[in-house]
Amino acid sequence: MKRQQIKRRTLLSTAAGVLVASAVTAVPRRALAAEDEQEQLADYDTHSTEEHSTTVTSATGQQLRLTAYGDHMVRVSATRAGESFFSDTRYEMVRPENHTALRGGLSVTDKGDALEFRTAADDGLRIVLHKTPLRLEFFARDTGTLLAKEDATHGITWSGSDHSIATESFVPPSSEERFLKAGHGVLGRVPRLDRTGDTVSHNYADADAAADNPNNQAPGIVPFFLSSKGYGVFFNTTFDTTFSFGGDNGYTFSADAHDAAGERPQMDYFLINGPRFSQLIDRYTELTGRPRLPQLSIFGLHMSDKSFADVSDQNWWREKITQHRAAGFPFDHQVNDNRWRAGSGSWSGSWFEFSPDRWPDPAGYQKWAADSGVTVTLDYNRNNTNEMADWVDGPPPGYSFEEADLKNVKESNAVPDWSNPDARAWVWKVFWDKALDPGLGFPGDGLWIDETDDLGAIPYTAPTADGRTWAEDRNAYFLNLHKGVGEEGWDPDGDGHIGSAKRPWTWSRGATAGQQRYGHYWTGDIRQTYDEMRSQIRGMQTAGLGGFPFANIDGGGFGEGGTVSDAYYRNWPVAWSSLSPIWRPHTTASTKDHGKKASRWPLDQSAQAQADFAKYGQLRYSLMPYIYTLAHQAAATGMPMARAMVIDYQDRSQAYSHDLQYLWGPSLLVAPLTSDGGDVQNIWLPAGSDWYDFWTDATHTGSDTQDLAHRTRTGEAPLFVRAGAILPRYPYAQSTAYLTKRQLETDVYTGADGVFELVEDDGLTEAYLTGSGTSVTRLTFTDASTRVVIAQPEGTYEGAPDARRYLVRFHGLDSPVGMGVDGGATLPAFTSEAAALLSEQGTGCVWDAEAKVLSVITSEIPVTGGGGDAATVEPSGDPFPEVGGGTVYQAESARLDSAFVIDTRHPGYTGSGYADFTGTSAEGSTLAWTVTVATAGTREVLVRYANGGDTDRPLVIDVDGTKRATLAMPPTGGWDTWATTSFSADLPQGDSVSVRATLSQPSSANIDSLTLL
């Protein structure tokens, strides 16, 4: 299936602990062999040149080949005498097509004592290859900056038994050079972003590491690093790698075959010039493959049934989600853990197939899920592989390894070899036949592929189905699996595949570089401690540096069966998780053993935790156009959604030390609270910008000499907004499927000019890949004139709105001014945004004197596309008008009896939802508002509602217990069509006047709000 990208220009312009020792530092390096055991590149003999590459032969028959990949990357490959270069596609971490698609020009000049190479771009690379001995130096062409170099004693070597270790050694770095290592160690843990002076080894955990810690799992195997000097190196090998960034072990990187039989590692790496980190990430992911964009629903809330392993089934899921939504919380994605599967429904003894006992009607459930805006992940556990249909044990023609090589592996009768294309085809067929075939009508939007990282006990010498050894293939294990499920399984159009009609969400415990173009990862069964949280924040950032921008972490930690404190729950599963790429609270704690507090679901937590969950849920879902645009940027350029500070501030030392904070896109700065609240947290707000406290709108001037001493509050993640930021929003809804695009809200933070290019699509299919299935709306703010220009979108997609209302909020103003749209008359002023929306004109402005926020609401404007401006919002030149209109009381703030729930599936409501009658109670059900009446007297009261039925659904209204009116509530023509009815009544003065609506028959309209004029 052809895969293209939407306009990168558009996206780039917007994008302007507790550790396992073996995974991170002080790794013993067998590459440091005695000199007499090493073979080094000898002197120059001859060279031959092709269009894109030059091959140099040494006096002893060794070969060194330089190849241009585009204008800013050079591939360096070296072999010992008598060896042939590996085929370009031996390691599929590089996108296979790129070995031809990315070839660039490479000129070569013989300078006598050296060869000089240049890539085509003026800002590309200049490489000097000295002849005696063969030694490389890399320079930035435009600035002449020396990036890295070998010297007579530092270069490419082969060492160890049978020369099974290949090493590149550069001269020691300068004291100013800093290094970042992409990927992460086991369980997603990273001790710090700045790895200068460290020795780092991120590989599939081996038998020794497993013996020290059986929970070694989920490594992010990305042999790529970035230097502050503006270059990066990608080491193209799946043998175990070790990187040393100065210090006692020098500046080296090596590949080790562990003396296994078979091929020995070759030196093969790409040196990439930026010089900015954003450019390095862009070019690295161009080389290895762009990250796979998930469905829109994946950026909503995920919840699992893990804490309910004794009771969950399809009825439990439906009831749990319904209760959760009824309380006003959002929900998008259901993560099934074991219980859905046939057999025991436990970790073992169950297999990938719907249980006829616990899930007797998956097709019926899917109909409910589709109607309810719910998508579903199904899990597969490696240890149950042999229980699945048509499994064949043993090596080819079987799908496994030699029995002798599995004797120390847990569940050794269930070990697939994913290097075997037949094994990959088999597992996809099971996934298809048992769940994913659309003809079945079953749930299945995502695949959770678990415990594929626990095969470290396989000996390095074990043969694999592709003719290699486990020493060479184990780091490719995740990549091979995702290739089978993604490229070979899900992606093709045609029988037996899903194709472009729906994007997959496939995630495994651990990852290999290049996997991002097929699927995703999660960091495994992590601890539930603040130390772990700190490691995961850093791991999330290093994953993003290595092409995995959709970091997927157990929110709050998987744990070891115990519960957590209320403060911890509010700080991690709620606050930080909601401000990370994937919001998925998860734990192993059992409600059977510990009661409902063991659950990660908010309704099982304290009232304050529920309030926090609702607050962050409304924040994330209303910010979905901003968040989803970040996801599009990631898919087009590799730019992480959660950006390490070094990406934007590469040249500032503070960026390397402040690694427990990050940028959430170009505009927001997140500094998660990693302890109980009440202490002072030092936060770096970079100089050159003013920063707003998101929660209070208080402003701070950025500084590179002094951190902000921020007093923390439990459950409130410190969150700051850069002046000039433009944050696009939609009205809050409880599912991404319910979000309405007919109202685009734009929060503008004054103090600097700003631009944001909003990307939208259908949220489901891969039409966006062709460039014809997206729209881009440019939002521009000019600070000096307090002007916002909203352009008509470029492009369109299935389901795009034909008209839009725009709501612009200006933050940080000293006082209000009259505002107009497109040069028109000064808009009237109202008491609230809802009052303006519900006014006869449906337009207006609102001044919040306490927050210093001025809101402007336009009428609905046709979406024409094709360029031009949709609306210009700016001062009219008149003073702010006198405030009119009534006071709006939302239904979600009313007291609802059990017959009503908060719902958002029908757009057009004001506030954060409406009261929806459940149909489970008869007449007499009530909802009641407490209102403030400043002066006693006759007042008009409006009730806004929708009635999609074909008969009246009357309400009886009383005030402080006295009947005042009966409202007929006639049909409105549809549940998405809202109307207003009214009554007049004498109201007493007071701050707590009760206005109650009671059903006079066993059905009701949906109630949006009550307005007191």
Side-chain angles (χ1 to χ4, degrees):
M1 181 167 57
K2 185 176 181 181
R3 297 187 176 279
Q4 300 174 342
Q5 300 295 332
I6 66 173
K7 296 179 181 178
R8 291 174 58 255
R9 173 199 61 78
T10 292
L11 299 176
L12 283 170
S13 69
T14 302
V18 178
L19 305 171
V20 179
S22 63
V24 259
T25 61
V27 179
R29 295 199 313 114
R30 300 190 315 120
L32 299 176
E35 287 188 16
D36 59 359
E37 295 178 345
Q38 292 181 350
E39 176 184 337
Q40 300 196 30
L41 274 178
D43 295 347
Y44 169 90
D45 185 32
T46 63
H47 75 273
S48 61
T49 299
E50 299 177 1
E51 182 180 1
H52 305 287
S53 66
T54 295
T55 302
V56 178
T57 303
S58 77
T60 61
Q62 302 155 329
Q63 290 190 305
L64 176 69
R65 185 171 66 191
L66 275 68
T67 307
Y69 278 64
D71 293 338
H72 302 89
M73 288 185 278
V74 168
R75 182 181 183 182
V76 178
S77 308
T79 66
R80 300 174 69 237
E83 293 179 341
S84 298
F85 290 108
F86 287 157
S87 69
D88 283 343
T89 56
R90 183 178 185 89
Y91 302 123
E92 293 191 37
M93 293 185 295
V94 172
R95 187 169 176 258
E97 304 93 305
N98 283 341
H99 292 292
T100 54
L102 285 183
R103 289 293 170 90
L106 186 69
S107 65
V108 57
T109 304
D110 194 330
K111 299 278 190 176
D113 60 351
L115 299 177
E116 183 178 88
F117 303 85
R118 293 174 182 259
T119 61
D122 290 339
D123 62 346
L125 288 162
R126 180 173 71 91
I127 304 103
V128 175
L129 176 61
H130 296 280
K131 292 183 176 180
T132 308
L134 289 170
R135 294 294 184 266
L136 289 160
E137 295 181 352
F138 300 91
F139 298 86
R141 272 194 63 179
D142 54 351
T143 65
T145 302
L146 174 65
L147 303 177
K149 65 176 289 187
E150 307 168 336
D151 65 16
T153 59
H154 296 82
I156 295 172
T157 61
W158 296 268
S159 61
S161 301
D162 196 29
H163 292 111
S164 63
I165 303 171
T167 303
E168 170 66 286
S169 298
F170 294 135
V171 299
S174 68
S175 59
E176 292 81 19
E177 188 171 4
R178 318 308 297 172
F179 295 93
L180 308 171
K181 173 66 174 64
H184 50 66
V186 297
L187 292 159
R189 294 170 180 163
V190 172
R192 56 193 161 272
L193 257 65
D194 184 356
R195 304 316 303 268
T196 308
D198 289 350
T199 297
V200 184
S201 185
H202 295 158
N203 299 296
Y204 197 103
D206 59 21
D208 291 339
D212 293 337
N213 181 354
N215 291 319
N216 275 333
Q217 56 186 242
I221 304 167
V222 183
F224 173 58
F225 70 86
L226 304 86
S227 163
S228 61
K229 294 177 74 171
Y231 68 94
V233 171
F234 171 63
F235 196 2
N236 186 36
T237 182
T238 59
F239 286 102
D240 280 4
T241 57
T242 300
F243 295 81
S244 294
F245 301 115
D248 294 342
N249 290 333
Y251 179 15
T252 68
F253 47 93
S254 63
D256 190 347
H258 298 284
D259 301 327
E263 294 283 1
R264 295 168 293 187
Q266 293 186 359
M267 182 49 57
D268 183 4
Y269 65 90
F270 293 79
L271 192 138
I272 309 170
N273 189 36
R276 307 310 301 172
F277 285 161
S278 58
Q279 294 171 302
L280 290 176
I281 295 168
D282 181 27
R283 288 164 186 161
Y284 166 76
T285 56
E286 182 182 25
L287 179 69
T288 60
R290 299 302 190 186
R292 190 71 175 267
L293 180 67
Q295 297 180 36
L296 173 62
S297 70
I298 301 304
F299 299 102
L301 175 66
H302 304 213
M303 297 299 294
S304 83
D305 60 345
K306 181 65 175 177
S307 295
F308 302 87
D310 59 322
V311 295
S312 68
D313 56 22
Q314 70 176 54
N315 291 330
W316 177 91
W317 268 111
R318 183 167 180 166
E319 292 170 4
K320 193 73 172 175
I321 294 170
T322 299
Q323 292 168 359
H324 176 86
R325 288 258 187 86
F329 299 113
F331 185 92
D332 258 86
H333 195 69
Q334 167 182 330
V335 182
N336 288 281
D337 192 328
N338 302 342
R339 283 275 294 180
W340 76 278
R341 299 194 308 236
S344 67
S346 325
W347 172 78
S348 64
S350 63
W351 53 90
F352 194 95
E353 184 174 353
F354 282 96
S355 165
D357 302 317
R358 294 175 294 278
W359 279 79
D361 184 17
Y365 186 89
Q366 173 57 19
K367 290 178 181 178
W368 173 84
D371 182 61
S372 302
V374 171
T375 54
V376 177
T377 275
L378 304 173
D379 74 325
Y380 151 78
N381 280 78
R382 190 275 302 172
N383 64 294
N384 296 299
T385 300
N386 61 313
E387 304 276 4
M388 292 161 58
D390 301 322
W391 165 256
V392 182
D393 203 5
Y399 306 141
S400 187
F401 297 80
E402 296 281 358
E403 182 178 358
D405 291 326
L406 300 178
K407 61 183 179 181
N408 293 321
V409 176
K410 296 184 301 180
E411 296 84 37
S412 60
N413 58 346
V415 184
D417 177 358
W418 301 125
S419 76
N420 183 348
D422 291 338
R424 299 196 299 265
W426 162 80
V427 80
W428 172 254
K429 188 174 187 304
V430 174
F431 292 160
W432 175 265
D433 289 345
K434 301 302 182 182
L436 299 184
D437 178 355
L440 299 171
F442 290 176
D445 303 273
L447 292 167
W448 175 9
I449 301 175
D450 200 357
E451 298 181 352
T452 54
D453 55 352
D454 54 357
L455 305 178
I458 296 176
Y460 293 117
T461 55
T464 54
D466 59 2
R468 304 177 194 177
T469 64
W470 182 240
E472 186 175 8
D473 262 4
R474 66 199 199 102
N475 278 341
Y477 196 71
F478 308 121
L479 176 59
N480 286 332
L481 167 61
H482 281 265
K483 176 184 178 181
V485 176
E487 180 181 65
E488 298 168 342
W490 190 294
D491 290 351
D493 289 310
D495 293 342
H497 308 279
I498 295 172
S500 59
K502 182 167 68 173
R503 304 172 211 162
W505 170 243
T506 304
W507 39 294
S508 63
R509 199 169 70 181
T512 306
Q515 173 182 316
Q516 73 272 3
R517 63 184 184 265
Y518 304 135
H520 310 277
Y521 83 105
W522 115 93
T523 59
D525 299 342
I526 56 177
R527 297 173 183 167
Q528 47 188 30
T529 67
Y530 280 126
D531 279 343
E532 184 73 85
M533 182 181 179
R534 286 184 276 273
S535 290
Q536 296 296 317
I537 293 170
R538 297 182 180 110
M540 171 188 69
Q541 296 175 67
T542 59
L545 293 174
F548 290 94
F550 308 121
N552 183 8
I553 299 165
D554 286 356
F558 186 71
E560 298 173 352
T563 61
V564 298
S565 70
D566 183 70
Y568 178 94
Y569 179 87
R570 293 162 60 195
N571 287 336
W572 184 353
V574 180
W576 175 43
S577 290
S578 74
L579 296 170
S580 66
I582 304 299
W583 187 12
R584 187 178 56 81
H586 186 67
T587 178
T588 188
S590 168
T591 54
K592 179 181 179 181
D593 298 333
H594 299 284
K596 67 179 185 178
K597 186 174 174 56
S599 164
R600 291 279 194 252
W601 291 71
L603 277 176
D604 299 322
Q605 299 295 323
S606 71
Q608 185 57 59
Q610 291 182 44
D612 287 349
F613 208 109
K615 176 178 74 173
Y616 282 97
Q618 290 183 23
L619 173 61
R620 184 178 180 96
Y621 276 67
S622 67
L623 277 176
M624 197 56 68
Y626 178 80
I627 292 169
Y628 194 54
T629 296
L630 303 186
H632 264 284
Q633 292 171 8
T637 71
M639 175 63 75
M641 297 182 71
R643 311 170 14 176
M645 300 297 295
V646 293
I647 294 178
D648 285 51
Y649 300 100
Q650 178 175 340
D651 303 319
R652 304 193 198 183
S653 60
Q654 294 89 344
Y656 296 85
S657 58
H658 288 74
D659 59 8
L660 288 175
Q661 61 181 64
Y662 57 90
L663 291 170
W664 187 227
S667 303
L668 295 171
L669 187 154
V670 184
L673 181 52
T674 62
S675 62
D676 290 349
D679 295 330
V680 171
Q681 182 174 349
N682 291 322
I683 300 171
W684 175 48
L685 301 177
S689 298
D690 287 338
W691 297 86
Y692 288 75
D693 185 317
F694 180 85
W695 305 113
T696 67
D697 264 13
T699 57
H700 305 275
T701 300
S703 172
D704 291 343
T705 60
Q706 185 174 3
D707 287 351
L708 173 69
H710 180 78
R711 176 66 65 176
T712 62
R713 294 178 289 275
T714 299
E716 187 172 287
L719 181 62
F720 297 87
V721 191
R722 192 196 309 264
I726 299 175
L727 300 180
R729 297 177 179 242
Y730 298 140
Y732 169 72
Q734 292 172 299
S735 168
T736 58
Y738 303 158
L739 291 168
T740 178
K741 298 178 181 180
R742 294 188 69 89
Q743 180 167 307
L744 179 62
E745 303 176 1
T746 302
D747 280 60
V748 174
Y749 289 79
T750 62
D753 294 348
V755 175
F756 192 88
E757 294 189 333
L758 169 67
V759 182
E760 297 170 295
D761 63 17
D762 63 24
L764 176 65
T765 75
E766 297 199 321
Y768 76 95
L769 289 167
T770 67
S772 62
T774 57
S775 73
V776 179
T777 302
R778 186 175 178 87
L779 309 171
T780 306
F781 170 61
T782 305
D783 187 56
S785 56
T786 318
R787 178 189 297 120
V788 168
V789 178
I790 303 164
Q792 288 285 1
E794 294 185 12
T796 190
Y797 55 92
E798 185 72 25
D802 58 5
R804 253 184 175 158
R805 184 187 307 277
Y806 300 100
L807 194 164
V808 180
R809 301 184 186 95
F810 296 90
H811 294 251
L813 299 180
D814 292 328
S815 59
V817 295
M819 299 295 289
V821 178
D822 295 333
T826 300
L827 296 174
F830 292 90
T831 56
S832 67
E833 292 175 2
L837 287 166
L838 297 179
S839 68
E840 183 177 352
Q841 304 94 328
T843 65
C845 54
V846 178
W847 171 245
D848 185 330
E850 182 177 357
K852 304 290 187 182
V853 175
L854 177 63
S855 300
V856 180
I857 299 97
T858 77
S859 59
E860 276 207 339
I861 297 171
V863 173
T864 62
D869 295 334
T872 299
V873 177
E874 60 187 338
S876 64
D878 294 334
F880 192 73
E882 183 178 350
V883 176
T887 302
V888 179
Y889 296 88
Q890 300 295 342
E892 58 269 29
S893 66
R895 298 186 305 277
L896 309 178
D897 72 12
S898 60
F900 291 93
V901 298
I902 301 301
D903 202 353
T904 60
R905 73 183 63 203
H906 297 294
Y909 52 86
T910 58
S912 59
Y914 55 85
D916 183 8
F917 180 65
T918 65
T920 58
S921 297
E923 60 188 78
S925 299
T926 64
L927 66 163
W929 293 269
T930 299
V931 304
T932 297
V933 181
T935 304
T938 301
R939 306 289 291 274
E940 186 175 7
V941 182
L942 312 179
V943 177
R944 188 167 187 258
Y945 74 99
N947 179 359
D950 54 9
T951 60
D952 292 357
R953 298 190 172 188
L955 289 177
V956 175
I957 306 294
D958 69 64
V959 176
D960 284 345
T962 300
K963 181 179 177 180
R964 298 294 188 182
T966 297
L967 303 178
M969 315 293 277
T972 59
W975 293 109
D976 295 350
T977 302
W978 298 85
T980 299
T981 186
S982 65
F983 66 95
S984 296
D986 290 333
L987 301 182
Q989 185 274 336
D991 294 331
S992 56
V993 176
S994 174
V995 179
R996 185 176 63 178
T998 303
L999 302 188
S1000 62
Q1001 63 180 41
S1003 61
S1004 173
N1006 291 338
I1007 309 299
D1008 173 51
S1009 61
L1010 177 144
T1011 300
L1012 182 62
L1013 297 178

